Amino acid sequence: ADMPVVITLLNSYSGWALCAEGFILNQPLLTVVGALIGSSGAFLTKIMCDGMNRSLVNVIMGGFGTEAGAVQTAEGLVHTEINVDDTAALLRDAQKVCIVPGYGLAVAQAQNDIAAVANSLREQGKEVKFAVHPVAGRMPGQLNVLLAEAGVPYDMVYEMEEVNEEMENFDVVLVVGANDTVNSSAVNDPKSAIAGMPVIEVWRAKHVVVMKRSVASGYAGVDNPVFYNDNTDMLLGSATETCQGLRNAV
């Protein structure tokens, strides 16, 4: 989530530069437009930093000397794998489903397949909700835009806080390409590198299915204990193929 913060910060800088140019050239319109761009970028940067419970300095400087995506599997822990057909069966048997998209969904461009899965479940009488973390993806609002492009109605997309309040009521939570934003270490491990970061607490649901290419850690380089919970199954493989298979199976 550091990259979106950097983007909004640079966007803010460009606005203030435009504002200064307006002062120099005595162009009030440039000054006003620059001030709007600069202030909106600054506000968005602050909101996203709050979403990660980190300071701006920590976001800018915290990535130096670290490796992204390092596999840090705790010794002795074993994850449980599931296939596409069994995942589809879980979704068909569920009455209330939550879908949590992440950066992996954007990389695979699988938003249309996931949207089709959600629509199919709704036609079957299921209650389906999308939960989007405020810093999911690599650009601000990237997941919201992708879901909108895929035709997902706005009333199906919920903020992190709204979904966390009713997480225990979901029969199945389908995590698609998300990792750090659903990491229980942020809540349960005060010594974790992401301790205190607000996350979507998927582990509190009745059943969790995580769709990822592998069990490797995310950008933060922190292993995710959710992968090894008794109520979690891992659907590993390319999101493009698994999402298409899930679409056909559901």
Side-chain angles (χ1 to χ4, degrees), residues 18-110:
L18 184 63
C19 183
E21 183 179 357
F23 275 115
I24 295 173
L25 299 179
N26 194 26
Q27 294 288 335
L29 182 60
L30 285 180
T31 303
V32 173
V33 172
L36 290 174
I37 296 174
S39 58
S40 62
F43 286 141
L44 187 53
T45 301
K46 177 64 166 58
I47 291 172
M48 298 190 73
C49 285
D50 290 343
M52 295 187 295
N53 197 30
R54 294 167 63 190
S55 67
L56 180 59
V57 174
N58 181 269
V59 172
I60 300 301
M61 304 300 295
F64 288 101
T66 62
E67 297 182 3
V71 179
Q72 297 183 358
T73 303
E75 184 178 356
L77 294 178
V78 179
H79 65 272
T80 304
E81 295 189 17
I82 193 173
N83 57 37
V84 171
D85 291 335
D86 289 341
T87 302
L90 283 174
L91 294 174
R92 289 194 299 266
D93 292 339
Q95 291 301 317
K96 192 168 184 177
V97 177
C98 178
I99 301 175
V100 183
Y103 180 59
L105 176 72
V107 172
Q109 291 292 296

Side-chain angles (χ1 to χ4, degrees), residues 86-241:
D86 289 341
T87 302
L90 283 174
L91 294 174
R92 289 194 299 266
D93 292 339
Q95 291 301 317
K96 192 168 184 177
V97 177
C98 178
I99 301 175
V100 183
Y103 180 59
L105 176 72
V107 172
Q109 291 292 296
Q111 63 270 19
N112 291 315
D113 292 324
I114 289 299
V117 170
N119 290 331
S120 178
L121 291 173
R122 292 189 80 182
E123 291 174 356
Q124 298 174 31
K126 319 293 185 183
E127 182 181 354
V128 183
K129 295 183 178 181
F130 283 86
V132 179
H133 193 280
V135 294
R138 284 296 181 266
M139 294 183 66
Q142 181 182 17
L143 273 304
N144 298 80
V145 172
L146 289 178
L147 293 177
E149 289 179 350
V152 176
Y154 289 109
D155 62 353
M156 289 180 63
V157 182
Y158 291 79
E159 299 292 336
M160 171 182 63
E161 294 82 2
E162 297 175 305
V163 172
N164 279 343
E165 292 178 355
E166 55 175 336
M167 187 59 68
E168 290 89 350
N169 299 326
F170 287 107
D171 297 309
V172 177
V173 172
L174 185 65
V175 180
V176 188
N179 194 336
D180 294 334
T181 55
V182 296
N183 195 325
S184 60
S185 295
V187 177
N188 300 327
D189 185 2
K191 296 182 180 179
S192 173
I194 59 173
M197 173 181 168
V199 294
I200 300 176
E201 300 174 4
V202 298
W203 61 91
R204 291 165 41 208
K206 298 175 184 177
H207 203 117
V208 182
V209 176
V210 180
M211 301 174 63
K212 286 182 86 272
R213 184 176 294 275
S214 69
V215 292
S217 59
Y219 178 84
V222 179
D223 193 35
N224 194 339
V226 175
F227 298 166
Y228 315 106
N229 287 348
D230 293 336
N231 66 332
T232 300
D233 290 319
M234 303 294 296
L235 179 56
L236 303 179
S238 169
T240 303
E241 297 176 0

